Amino acid sequence: MGIEQKLGDMGVVTARLEDLVNWGRTRAMWPMLFGLACCAIEMMSAQAANYDMSRFGMELMRASPRQSDLMIVAGRVSRKMAPVLRRLYDQMPDPKWVVAMGDCASCGGVFNNYAIVQGVDEIVPVDVYVGGCPPRPEALIHGIMTLHEKVKLESFKDWS
Amino acid sequence: MNKPLEKIAADLNAEFGATYTEDRGEVSFVVPAERIVDFAAALKKKHKFEMLASQTAVDYWPALAPRYHIVYQFTSVSKKLRLEARVPLDGNDPEMPSLVDVFPNANWFERELFDMFGIRFSGHPDLRRILMPFDWEGHPLRKDYPLGYEEVQFSFNYEDIEVRKPRPKD
Amino acid sequence: MTLEPVMEVTVNDLKHLLSERAAEGDTLLLNMGPQHPSTHGVLRLLLELDGEIIVRCIPDIGFLHTGIEKNMEAKTYVKAEVMTDRLDYLNTTGNNLVYVMAIEKLVGLDVPARAEVIRVLIVELQRIASHLVWLGTHALDLAAMSVFFYCFREREKILDILEMCGGQRMMTTYFRPGGLWRDTPVEFESAVRDFLKVFPRRIDEYEALLTKNPIFIDRTKGIGIIPKDKALEWGLTGPTLRGSGIEYDIRRAFPYAGYENYEFDVATDDGCDVYARYTVRMQEMRESLKIVQQALDNMPMGPVNSANRKFVPPPRSELGHSMEAVIHHFKLWTEGFEAPKASVYMPVESPRGELGVYLEGDGGPKPYRVHFRTPSFTNLQAVPWLAEGHYVADLVAIIGSIDIVLGDTDR
């Protein structure tokens, strides 16, 4: 692996702090176990044997928002659910990211009506949108990998 | 209409004066609101219709008499029969007797109708909103309630709609 | 955008639902959900606890209320079908089936024999897929993790077959009024036969993991007893009812889509508890396999769409040379067809119970009123009296055994 070559005989590696921290964040990004609707079933498929998200180090779903870094909004968010979703987001410790999975979470999807929030970005800031109704498990995995790419580019001042 | 249902229909017609029609293989009774509890009790006790399969409402706005039809679907599991009962209701905020004492599962059906149509059921033990948030205004499935959709953004009106969109604080 | 605090309902508003001891502070009120892994979605339960024993259980639903019924009134009959998929997302083709059959009943449309057989085949495959998700999550709730992985392995095979036909894994919208979207592809038959060959052994595998597992039996036997008379009175349907020993299956009692032509047993169990509902569903998977086998062996040839051009769009090949076909195509995709001023109620047996649609037309191209009588909504009403007197851990088993889907409950 690359790191041994960089180590040399000294046992010292030099890297930018940003790279190291961002690398660490992407390798242990724990999603919250939180399903809303149809997309939650595909999210479960993504964790099950055929697709197996854990190959990429993102399998450990935490049932508590206090222990998770990544919120996958899997499904449509109703007006009744919106305050609950925001409260869950507020309970997550920083740094935290949001993936809007599926059309309903991204923009309301086919449900353009009184009951559904037209895109979850009305209530929480979204990092990655995954299209599809529902997206295939591959699409979700790709979405989270895209988020990893984004996190790797974060600089010191973004950390807050 | 098959034989056993014909007999039941004639019986109910004699007892409650409920007129019935047959359409597309379904038998449908029209029952006045004040008789519906007795009607359901007779169905359950006498004619072995053990199950209230469904209860819903239809809004015929702007007509006001009747504005609503409450539609019940009864099923007899033992006799393999179905029938429908319709209760016409006048006025915008009507009230009718609850069926909870006869069929306990009418509880949530009636809560849903209260939530969605604003129909009140007297004698209901727990008449609260069930699907919408408790502080919601209006009754969404009424015909005079708008669908409440969001406009689709095109290039000519993109900016106007973008300004009006709600945004999170951070 | 400022947001109101979440749970506003105070204890005083719910006083009539709690026991007298709650007012004295003798019992504890505990909120379970809407974000809870064992509530299968966004169900919220307010529990009144005495130690770990449930005194009262108050369900709060509607967190997934989608306004499907209202939205369908604003679309034409065919366009509204897309909404039905998203209703009960484990039984997508079953929802399509009940809706298109209601339309066919309303307008009096014929369906070719081949389309009916394919419909039955697909719906039974979907029933197996739905039961597999139920089995995986139910076992997961009861801390048997590996069953989940086994179940989703086979479910992927069924989803592959659905994707082959409809082009989508879950939301196929494959059934259309008057038939199907298109005929099945050539690989379809071999894929289903492969599945039929593999799956009976796989059910044995699941049973080997659970049926005689002492932990599973301890958690399920004698829990959540539904007596026979109460089951009927509360309108429970599907495996929940059949787990109480009542042989009521709409496929048998009121046959539709040619179910009278298939040989299968209605699975029942007299146990009335969570374990009985488990055995009923396991048995149902085997029965569904039987139906799939019969459907595949007796598949007639012929068209898969009705020839009635007033309701079914003409095939692509006709558009090139027939002016009439172009007109029909244009009319159907811009205006849609008109349905008479009448109402129908169409029930089918979904994996969870009686899924009925009340459809009313007003003479125009859009449905005047669509109401879905969903099995989860009615079955969930039983949870409060089922949970009383049990431990909180048993509540998880009870909710699992009722097999609710919140999209189905809240619509």
Side-chain angles (χ1 to χ4, degrees):
Chain A
M1 301 299 284
I3 198 144
E4 295 91 5
Q5 289 159 6
K6 280 184 188 167
L7 273 171
D9 298 332
M10 309 269 284
V12 175
V13 62
T14 53
R16 291 193 310 158
L17 180 66
E18 288 166 357
D19 287 351
L20 269 180
V21 172
N22 288 340
W23 174 81
R25 284 181 176 177
T26 56
R27 294 302 118 169
M29 198 176 270
W30 291 358
M32 182 157 60
L33 180 50
F34 173 50
L36 286 169
C38 333
C39 293
I41 307 295
E42 288 296 63
M43 190 168 77
M44 276 153 67
S45 297
Q47 292 154 32
N50 279 42
Y51 294 97
D52 196 9
M53 260 171 44
S54 60
R55 289 177 295 166
F56 306 101
M58 45 185 156
E59 84 284 18
L60 196 63
M61 306 292 270
R62 304 309 297 186
S64 161
R66 303 272 184 208
Q67 297 168 348
S68 42
D69 318 298
L70 172 62
M71 176 187 256
I72 302 175
V73 185
R76 48 200 187 236
V77 181
S78 68
R79 302 258 175 227
K80 194 171 179 178
M81 192 65 198
V84 184
L85 188 101
R86 178 68 204 200
R87 175 173 280 194
L88 286 170
Y89 178 78
D90 289 341
Q91 284 177 346
M92 284 162 65
D94 278 325
K96 53 191 171 187
W97 299 277
V98 178
V99 171
M101 181 183 180
D103 289 347
C104 303
S106 303
C107 65
V110 286
F111 302 111
N112 198 353
N113 60 27
Y114 64 95
I116 293 295
V117 175
Q118 298 297 307
V120 74
D121 47 6
E122 286 179 14
I123 40 177
V124 292
V126 177
D127 293 284
V128 173
Y129 299 88
V130 182
C133 190
R136 297 180 62 90
E138 293 100 323
L140 175 65
I141 294 172
H142 177 74
I144 300 180
M145 306 270 271
T146 311
L147 178 68
H148 287 182
E149 296 303 317
K150 187 188 170 195
V151 171
K152 278 181 192 161
L153 295 177
E154 276 182 4
S155 63
F156 193 68
K157 65 177 185 336
D158 299 332
W159 286 353
S160 68
Chain B
M1 208 189 305
N2 54 15
K3 270 268 146 41
L5 199 55
E6 222 164 64
K7 209 163 143 268
I8 293 168
D11 205 21
L12 289 170
N13 192 7
E15 195 176 342
F16 296 98
T19 53
Y20 62 93
T21 49
E22 194 187 4
D23 179 32
R24 291 169 173 78
E26 291 174 18
V27 180
S28 176
F29 287 83
V30 176
V31 187
E34 60 274 11
R35 299 302 303 275
I36 184 68
V37 177
D38 298 336
F39 181 85
L43 268 182
K44 188 181 177 185
K45 301 267 155 52
K46 211 160 135 197
H47 301 292
K48 296 270 184 306
F49 278 75
E50 305 98 337
M51 194 185 279
L52 171 65
S54 164
Q55 180 180 1
T56 183
V58 189
D59 184 4
Y60 293 106
W61 184 79
L64 282 178
R67 175 161 176 178
Y68 302 100
H69 269 191
I70 310 290
V71 186
Y72 297 88
Q73 307 283 347
F74 297 99
T75 305
S76 168
V77 170
S78 48
K79 292 185 184 169
K80 297 190 170 50
L81 294 175
R82 284 185 175 281
L83 63 81
E84 184 184 275
R86 300 177 81 96
V87 178
L89 292 175
D90 298 346
N92 284 327
D93 293 299
E95 185 159 351
M96 69 172 289
S98 164
L99 221 57
V100 172
D101 293 334
V102 188
F103 291 101
N105 69 329
N107 189 330
W108 280 20
F109 287 137
E110 286 172 359
R111 275 179 72 186
E112 191 194 339
L113 292 184
F114 167 68
D115 192 354
M116 291 295 160
F117 289 93
I119 297 161
R120 296 188 166 275
F121 291 89
S122 53
H124 191 284
D126 182 27
L127 202 62
R128 291 179 293 134
R129 280 190 184 273
I130 185 168
L131 293 177
M132 300 310 292
F134 72 99
D135 56 351
W136 193 265
E137 279 172 25
H139 302 284
L141 275 179
R142 283 187 178 182
K143 285 282 174 185
D144 52 356
Y145 191 93
L147 180 60
Y149 61 93
E150 188 176 86
E151 294 158 278
V152 183
Q153 283 176 315
F154 293 104
S155 48
F156 71 91
N157 59 3
Y158 190 91
E159 293 298 323
D160 307 346
I161 296 174
E162 195 67 20
V163 177
R164 277 182 269 139
K165 269 193 180 172
R167 294 263 168 248
K169 265 193 217 149
D170 52 324
Chain C
M1 184 178 174
T2 53
L3 286 161
E4 300 296 314
V6 186
M7 305 306 174
E8 210 73 20
V9 181
T10 58
V11 177
N12 281 336
D13 297 331
L14 299 171
K15 211 177 241 166
H16 57 292
L17 296 171
L18 300 169
S19 71
E20 295 91 44
R21 292 160 66 198
E24 294 150 24
D26 222 14
T27 50
L28 174 78
L29 288 180
L30 183 76
N31 182 49
M32 183 172 172
Q35 186 258 338
H36 189 283
S38 301
T39 52
H40 292 231
V42 284
L43 171 68
R44 177 178 171 233
L45 296 165
L46 188 64
L47 303 177
E48 187 190 339
L49 298 175
D50 177 15
E52 217 177 320
I53 308 267
I54 297 168
V55 183
R56 291 276 192 281
C57 167
I58 306 165
D60 184 9
I61 61 171
F63 288 97
L64 200 58
H65 178 63
T66 318
I68 286 179
E69 287 169 8
K70 181 92 176 173
N71 217 337
M72 282 172 86
E73 288 169 9
K75 291 174 183 289
T76 61
Y77 283 95
V78 175
K79 284 178 185 170
E81 197 195 331
V82 184
M83 300 261 162
T84 62
D85 282 299
R86 277 93 186 153
L87 192 75
D88 171 357
Y89 37 79
L90 294 182
N91 178 35
T92 54
T93 52
N95 300 338
N96 291 162
L97 180 73
V98 65
Y99 180 64
V100 298
M101 280 175 57
I103 294 177
E104 283 155 7
K105 196 171 171 185
L106 187 65
V107 300
L109 190 56
D110 60 306
V111 186
R114 183 175 169 83
E116 288 230 305
V117 175
I118 294 175
R119 279 180 181 183
V120 167
L121 200 161
I122 298 270
V123 166
E124 290 304 317
L125 283 177
Q126 183 83 65
R127 188 185 310 276
I128 295 173
S130 169
H131 281 351
L132 283 175
V133 175
W134 162 79
L135 181 64
T137 50
H138 186 45
L140 195 65
D141 289 344
L142 301 176
M145 182 114 190
S146 43
V147 184
F148 171 76
F149 294 113
Y150 283 121
C151 290
F152 270 69
R153 180 184 60 189
E154 270 70 64
R155 181 169 179 268
E156 291 295 330
K157 287 202 167 59
I158 297 174
L159 292 189
D160 285 347
I161 294 172
L162 291 182
E163 191 177 9
M164 203 181 275
C165 300
Q168 239 267 34
R169 279 159 57 85
M170 283 168 72
M171 314 300 179
T172 52
T173 323
Y174 184 47
F175 307 154
R176 299 287 164 86
L180 307 172
W181 171 49
R182 60 170 190 188
D183 206 341
T184 52
V186 276
E187 317 90 17
F188 177 74
E189 188 174 340
S190 62
V192 178
R193 284 206 192 280
D194 282 352
F195 178 76
L196 283 172
K197 214 179 285 170
V198 174
F199 196 63
R201 286 207 305 276
R202 296 291 157 85
I203 301 182
D204 296 339
E205 266 181 26
Y206 314 142
E207 294 230 40
L209 284 167
L210 290 177
T211 305
K212 287 182 183 155
N213 184 336
I215 303 173
F216 186 72
I217 291 174
D218 273 359
R219 294 286 308 268
T220 52
K221 275 231 163 124
I223 306 291
I225 304 269
I226 306 178
K228 259 187 195 183
D229 50 335
K230 228 174 168 182
L232 278 176
E233 198 177 64
W234 280 82
L236 306 183
T237 43
T240 316
L241 179 69
R242 294 195 284 277
S244 295
I246 295 165
E247 196 182 324
Y248 175 65
D249 189 322
I250 297 168
R251 291 177 290 175
R252 209 19 96 58
F254 305 97
Y256 56 91
Y259 266 110
E260 61 272 24
N261 306 326
Y262 300 93
E263 273 186 29
F264 63 98
D265 297 325
V266 177
T268 53
D269 194 307
D270 288 328
C272 304
D273 55 2
V274 175
Y275 189 77
R277 300 195 269 284
Y278 159 78
T279 49
V280 164
R281 288 202 178 89
M282 295 308 273
Q283 189 58 32
E284 262 188 33
M285 283 203 258
R286 293 183 200 273
E287 298 301 328
S288 289
L289 272 188
K290 271 193 215 166
I291 299 175
V292 172
Q293 182 81 54
Q294 289 168 42
L296 199 61
D297 291 343
N298 305 318
M299 182 89 71
M301 296 307 281
V304 293
N305 266 317
S306 165
N308 192 341
R309 290 277 176 268
K310 296 293 170 205
F311 298 101
V312 181
R316 198 87 209 152
S317 55
E318 266 181 40
L319 293 182
H321 56 81
S322 163
M323 191 60 211
E324 209 176 322
V326 176
I327 293 169
H328 278 141
H329 185 273
F330 182 75
K331 285 280 273 184
L332 279 173
W333 292 120
T334 50
E335 279 179 24
F337 52 79
E338 287 171 0
K341 200 173 159 69
S343 69
V344 291
Y345 179 75
M346 182 76 222
V348 304
E349 183 78 17
S350 98
R352 270 155 280 284
E354 175 176 341
L355 174 65
V357 57
Y358 175 84
L359 185 66
E360 181 158 340
D362 64 343
K366 293 173 180 174
Y368 188 74
R369 171 90 173 100
V370 196
H371 174 257
F372 285 95
R373 183 269 186 222
T374 48
S376 306
F377 184 79
T378 323
N379 292 359
L380 188 61
Q381 285 193 67
V383 166
W385 55 264
L386 273 177
E388 274 169 30
H390 283 301
Y391 289 109
V392 181
D394 294 336
L395 177 64
V396 172
I398 290 167
I399 295 173
S401 78
I402 301 271
D403 190 17
I404 48 161
V405 167
L406 265 294
D408 203 24
T409 313
D410 299 345
R411 300 182 298 272

